[in-house]
């Protein structure tokens, strides 16, 4: 019996010893591997932010490998629809709905349209940016969205008062001081207040509204390129949306008096297309949609200016080299005055 116990004890020591040797060997091999690759994630030589950088790098690679984004039919349709209804339709709704429903000392139906526009448009722009195949600078996007909302809100107040004045006889084709209901105000400092209101509406509000708007569109456009020539085409639905989209931008450029900003953005887009073409990169369906919409807008603005080139009254209101009359100034001069 003692012999059997001694025999088992010797076997246990042998097994335990061989297991310890095997474990020690594996630990030695792992240590040698870490010495050969000191930057491996989780090793003692790993840099503090190595795992984060690797994760970020892998996510960028994944975005690049995802390929070209498909045409965003839903976003472009909602974007075009709300532009027509909430922006272009604002002043029309104010003329259509009875004045008794929205008294002059209360917000009009157009003001509620503008409030909805100030909420929905930034949301759609953020959705558009999220679908961009290229990673865009988030800080610049956030600052642009905040500035856009602030500028559109300033315009909301000024535009509301301006359209309310129309019911009192204010004429958009005349300057503030030349308007019959303004020029005889006493004391005359009241006229300065109305000019300040006009400045907030037409200059400060428009600048803070449209500059970030076109900046966001251009940043999105910069990510709409593909190395595959076959992907540089638009589906039929995109072609149908180009006409209402380009027509809306015509209204935006003329009524907003932002022709210089628009032409600068258009030339920047064209320069980017030519630059990327040298790298054998082509516009995808979303980039083509924006590019063709802007091209149609430029054509419509040229036709609009040529048609009203010799109008003496509008020429007086819009002096200088850049002559782009506003559609509502044309309306009050040639349409409403005839009724």
């Amino acid at each position: 019996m003692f012999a059997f116990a001694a025999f088992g004890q010797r076997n246990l020591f042998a097994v335990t010893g061989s297991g310890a040797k095997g474990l020690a060997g594996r630990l030695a091999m792992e240590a040698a591997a870490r010495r050969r690759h000191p930057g491996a994630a989780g090793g003692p030589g790993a840099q503090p932010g190595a795992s984060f950088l690797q994760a970020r790098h892998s996510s960028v690679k994944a975005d690049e490998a995802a390929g070209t984004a498909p045409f965003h039919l839903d976003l472009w349709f909602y974007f075009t629809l709300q532009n027509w209804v909430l922006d272009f339709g604002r002043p029309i709704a104010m003329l259509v709905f009875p004045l008794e429903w929205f008294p002059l000392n209360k917000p009009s139906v157009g003001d509620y349209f503008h409030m909805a526009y100030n909420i929905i448009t930034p949301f759609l722009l953020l959705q558009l940016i999220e679908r961009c195949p290229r990673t865009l600078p988030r800080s610049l996007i956030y600052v642009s969205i905040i500035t856009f909302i602030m500028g559109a809100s300033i315009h909301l107040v000024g535009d509301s008062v301006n359209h309310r004045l129309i019911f009192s006889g204010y004429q958009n084709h005349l300057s503030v001081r030349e308007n019959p209901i303004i020029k005889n105000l006493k004391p005359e400092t009241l006229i300065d207040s109305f000019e300040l209101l006009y400045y907030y509406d037409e200059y400060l509000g428009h600048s803070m509204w449209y500059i970030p708007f076109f900046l966001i569109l251009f940043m999105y456009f910069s990510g709409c390129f593909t190395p595959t020539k076959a992907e540089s085409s638009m589906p039929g639905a995109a072609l149908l949306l180009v006409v209402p989209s380009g027509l809306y931008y015509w209204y935006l450029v003329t009524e907003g008096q932002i022709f210089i900003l628009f032409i600068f953005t258009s030339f920047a887009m064209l320069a980017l297309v030519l630059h990327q073409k040298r790298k054998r990169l082509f516009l995808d369906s979303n980039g083509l949609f924006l590019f063709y919409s802007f091209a149609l807008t430029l054509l419509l603005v040229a036709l609009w200016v040529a048609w009203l080139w010799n109008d003496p009254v509008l020429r007086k209101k819009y002096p200088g080299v850049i002559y782009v009359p506003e559609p509502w100034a044309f309306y009050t001069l040639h349409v409403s005055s005839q009724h």
Side-chain angles (χ1 to χ4, degrees):
M1 181 159 207
F2 290 106
F4 177 77
F7 176 75
Q9 187 177 9
R10 284 195 301 270
N11 286 341
L12 177 62
F13 288 158
V15 172
T16 306
S18 61
K21 290 180 181 179
L23 178 61
R26 285 196 299 271
L27 291 176
M29 292 175 63
E30 291 178 3
R34 285 197 296 269
R35 285 194 297 270
R36 287 194 300 268
H37 306 284
Q47 297 179 359
S51 59
F52 170 76
L53 293 175
Q54 288 173 355
R56 182 176 178 85
H57 180 71
S58 61
S59 65
V60 172
K61 288 293 185 181
D63 291 341
E64 294 175 352
T68 305
F71 183 70
H72 309 314
L73 177 60
D74 55 341
L75 283 182
W76 290 123
F77 174 76
Y78 295 143
F79 195 65
T80 304
L81 179 64
Q82 68 97 27
N83 282 337
W84 274 103
V85 174
L86 300 180
D87 191 17
F88 179 80
R90 272 188 303 110
I92 298 176
M94 294 172 63
L95 298 176
V96 171
F97 282 82
L99 190 60
E100 294 78 15
W101 294 6
F102 302 94
L104 293 178
N105 62 342
K106 301 295 181 180
S108 69
V109 62
D111 297 338
Y112 293 113
F113 277 32
H114 207 318
M115 295 175 194
Y117 174 90
N118 292 2
I119 297 173
I120 296 174
T121 304
F123 174 76
L124 292 177
L125 288 174
L126 287 174
Q127 292 294 313
L128 198 63
I129 290 298
E130 288 181 0
R131 296 193 190 183
C132 182
R134 176 170 167 261
T135 302
L136 301 176
R138 290 189 176 274
S139 298
L140 184 57
I141 293 296
Y142 293 154
V143 171
S144 299
I145 290 292
I146 293 170
T147 308
F148 170 89
I149 296 173
M150 185 175 180
S153 301
I154 292 174
H155 178 267
L156 164 63
V157 177
D159 197 61
S160 174
V161 176
N162 179 65
H163 281 90
R164 290 313 219 179
L165 288 174
I166 293 177
F167 291 102
S168 301
Y170 187 85
Q171 300 178 29
N172 276 328
H173 61 277
L174 298 176
S175 66
V176 174
R177 289 188 176 272
E178 292 177 345
N179 260 272
I181 67 170
I182 300 292
K183 64 181 180 181
N184 295 323
L185 286 176
K186 299 297 180 181
E188 292 187 0
T189 52
L190 286 176
I191 302 179
D192 295 332
S193 299
F194 277 100
E195 286 188 326
L196 175 62
L197 180 67
Y198 183 84
Y199 171 80
Y200 273 112
D201 178 13
E202 297 295 327
Y203 293 99
L204 183 62
H206 282 185
S207 298
M208 296 181 66
W209 178 1
Y210 295 130
I211 290 177
F213 177 78
F214 281 98
L215 178 61
I216 291 173
L217 287 182
F218 179 77
M219 286 192 292
Y220 172 80
F221 180 81
S222 67
C224 296
F225 288 89
T226 174
T228 307
K229 178 67 175 177
E231 295 178 350
S232 184
S233 61
M234 288 197 305
L239 293 173
L240 293 177
L241 278 178
V242 164
V243 175
S245 177
L247 192 59
Y248 167 75
Y249 286 125
W250 161 82
Y251 171 77
L252 193 70
V253 170
T254 53
E255 186 65 27
Q257 293 293 286
I258 53 169
F259 178 75
I260 295 179
L261 174 62
F262 171 76
I263 200 69
F264 178 80
T265 306
S266 300
F267 283 145
M269 291 168 62
L270 179 60
L272 182 61
V273 169
L274 297 177
H275 175 72
Q276 296 289 61
K277 192 174 182 180
R278 296 178 181 177
K279 301 179 180 179
R280 303 189 65 81
L281 294 175
F282 310 94
L283 282 173
D284 63 9
S285 57
N286 296 287
L288 287 173
F289 174 77
L290 264 180
F291 190 78
Y292 289 153
S293 296
F294 277 38
L296 177 59
T297 300
L298 191 59
L299 175 62
L300 293 175
V301 171
L303 294 175
W304 173 256
V305 172
W307 182 37
L308 300 174
W309 187 259
N310 295 319
D311 191 300
V313 179
L314 294 178
R315 269 290 184 180
K316 185 179 180 180
K317 182 177 181 180
Y318 306 99
V321 179
I322 306 298
Y323 170 69
V324 182
E326 298 174 69
W328 279 103
F330 172 84
Y331 172 81
T332 58
L333 176 62
H334 294 292
V335 179
S336 63
S337 60
Q338 304 299 325
H339 295 83

